Amino acid sequence: MKIAHLDMDAFYVSVELQRRPELRGKPVIVAGTGPRAVVTTASYEARKFGVGSAMPAARARRLCPAAINIPPDFAAYRAVSRQVMDLLRDHVERVEVVGLDEAYLDLSGLVAPNAAMRRLVADIRRATGLSASVGIGPNKLVAKVASDAEKPAGFVVLTREGACARFADASPGLVPGIGPKTVERLAALGITTLGRLAQTPEAALQERFGTNQGRDLLARARFHGSAQLTLERVAVSESRETTFNTDVADRAEQEAHLRRLSDELCAGLKRPGRTIAIKVRLDDWTTVTRARTIAEATADAHVVGGVALDLLRAYAPARPVRLLGVRVAGFDAPAPEVDAGQLALPL
Ligand code: TTP
Ligand code: MG
């Protein structure tokens, strides 16, 4: 199997810089303006000051007073995202879009996969002016970590063994799915690198982290992962979810995340839906969903976000939250522009 992960560089900011070229080379952040506003993304210039995604905008202003703040324009990001994802599908038949600015591509069967990806990146730049980073590997985990390794404009090709060797000295936190709390618990066991983690006996990890998480940690450290793409089909629902680096206990913070997920979901929604649901996973892995069906189909972020917040308040998570998700379902009209090549079984 050969899988690529493509991720746009500083996506929201880069879209903004296309129409405000005078801001190029300056520290720029895209964030709302309210007291609870968080940074969605920062230009690489602003990142040098320690500004990063999900940071309260007020803190970003303290770290980098010169930063220029731009309010988010989700419609613009959605439009560029569509353009990028259409280009991906022009080049590769099997594509799994996992966010507005990232996707996995199945390169198996291509004669010259690396060259195909280079062409794709050049096409994206030509069509949108934007830069993307690519990672290529035998599974999604290797591809994802590789795409992040040399941002911006990175292009990193690794075998599984190559990934193990290259990142052996890195913190276990480099790997998606290993958050700061786990990193801390590993450090307490003297395991501070991915190399050490990969050599730890599974039983020892399972004793400390439980059967499932212990097994999962070892597999991730060894860069074993799935190469299965979830191909698009006639959607019965669309969702966005996020696993936090650090479990979130604060309700206001949970609500801010839920609002952002609702904004992102609605920005990419192809059709309005009548059922709005949330998914909550607690730090003990208890996972619940709560749904409500409303009278009128909607794709409005305020409506979806409002219902999502209601559902969260009604559920009132009793423990810190590990994952939050929002889903819209109950679409009336059939999906537009269904691509037969991507079609799985009819539902
Ligand atoms: P990312 O791909 O994580 O970040 P990025 O594209 O800005 O930068 P990088 O070059 O490191 O890939 O996220 C894509 C977009 O999603 C980002 O531009 C803004 C949005 N986003 C949020 O709104 N909140 C967040 O916490 C994160 C991480 C991203
Ligand atoms: Mg990105």
Side-chain angles (χ1 to χ4, degrees):
M1 291 300 274
K2 220 172 181 31
I3 304 291
H5 180 255
L6 180 141
D7 189 296
M8 302 301 292
D9 297 328
F11 183 53
Y12 292 3
V13 160
S14 304
V15 172
E16 296 295 347
L17 291 183
Q18 284 300 110
R19 47 187 179 185
R20 295 172 169 85
E22 70 279 7
L23 297 183
R24 264 178 209 292
K26 298 195 171 143
V28 173
I29 62 174
V30 174
T33 47
R36 287 242 170 89
V38 292
V39 174
T40 63
T41 190
S43 68
Y44 285 88
E45 290 80 3
R47 291 182 200 190
K48 285 186 202 132
F49 292 83
V51 176
S53 293
M55 174 183 288
R59 181 165 148 69
R61 267 192 298 281
R62 278 197 300 277
L63 286 172
C64 182
I68 294 143
N69 189 88
I70 299 177
D73 174 357
F74 292 108
Y77 313 145
R78 175 185 56 204
V80 177
S81 172
R82 286 243 172 98
Q83 212 183 341
V84 169
M85 297 310 163
D86 285 348
L87 281 169
L88 264 57
R89 295 191 191 93
D90 287 347
H91 283 254
V92 177
E93 193 184 334
R94 294 156 70 83
V95 175
E96 177 184 351
V97 177
V98 288
L100 270 188
D101 90 324
E102 56 174 317
Y104 291 100
L105 301 92
D106 184 350
L107 307 181
S108 323
L110 294 189
V111 183
N114 298 359
M117 288 307 290
R118 296 249 187 223
R119 277 198 304 276
L120 170 56
V121 169
D123 270 10
I124 292 173
R125 189 184 284 279
R126 208 171 302 124
T128 67
L130 300 184
S131 129
S133 293
V134 169
I136 298 178
N139 61 48
K140 288 179 173 183
L141 182 60
V142 173
K144 168 99 183 168
V145 172
S147 77
D148 210 42
E150 293 183 14
K151 264 181 173 289
F155 196 98
V156 176
V157 185
L158 289 171
T159 60
R160 188 186 67 79
E161 295 80 1
C164 290
R166 172 157 179 171
F167 303 112
D169 293 333
S171 159
L174 177 85
V175 167
I178 304 185
K181 230 165 87 179
T182 305
V183 170
E184 230 170 77
R185 292 170 71 191
L186 286 168
L189 301 174
I191 303 168
T192 53
T193 65
L194 277 172
R196 285 290 290 277
L197 180 55
Q199 283 161 11
T200 306
E202 187 169 61
L205 292 170
Q206 289 181 323
E207 194 180 313
R208 183 75 179 81
F209 292 94
T211 315
N212 291 334
Q213 202 189 344
R215 185 189 308 122
D216 182 72
L217 274 174
L218 192 60
R220 280 178 205 267
R222 294 177 177 171
F223 283 94
H224 286 292
S226 162
Q228 194 77 45
L229 301 202
T230 308
L231 297 185
E232 289 172 18
R233 47 188 174 170
V234 182
V236 288
S237 71
E238 293 190 44
S239 62
R240 278 276 181 280
E241 62 179 48
T242 187
T243 300
F244 305 117
N245 285 328
T246 311
D247 298 337
V248 177
D250 180 56
R251 186 61 46 81
E253 209 182 315
Q254 294 166 1
E255 293 184 2
H257 283 293
L258 211 48
R259 271 196 198 286
R260 169 175 70 82
L261 289 167
S262 302
D263 286 345
E264 284 182 23
L265 173 62
C266 291
L269 215 51
K270 294 185 198 76
R271 294 161 297 157
R274 287 203 304 134
T275 301
I276 294 151
I278 61 166
K279 174 171 161 188
V280 184
R281 178 169 295 146
L282 306 179
D283 64 345
D284 63 357
W285 286 74
T286 308
T287 306
V288 300
T289 56
R290 293 286 185 273
R292 180 183 301 166
T293 298
I294 56 177
E296 186 98 0
T298 186
D300 182 332
H302 288 293
V303 178
V304 171
V307 173
L309 287 193
D310 271 2
L311 291 168
L312 180 73
R313 287 177 189 145
Y315 170 58
R319 304 179 56 93
V321 170
R322 178 182 168 83
L323 170 153
L324 275 177
V326 185
R327 177 177 298 275
V328 172
F331 305 124
D332 294 330
E337 53 183 289
V338 173
D339 174 356
Q342 297 270 339
L343 204 64
L345 291 175
L347 292 159

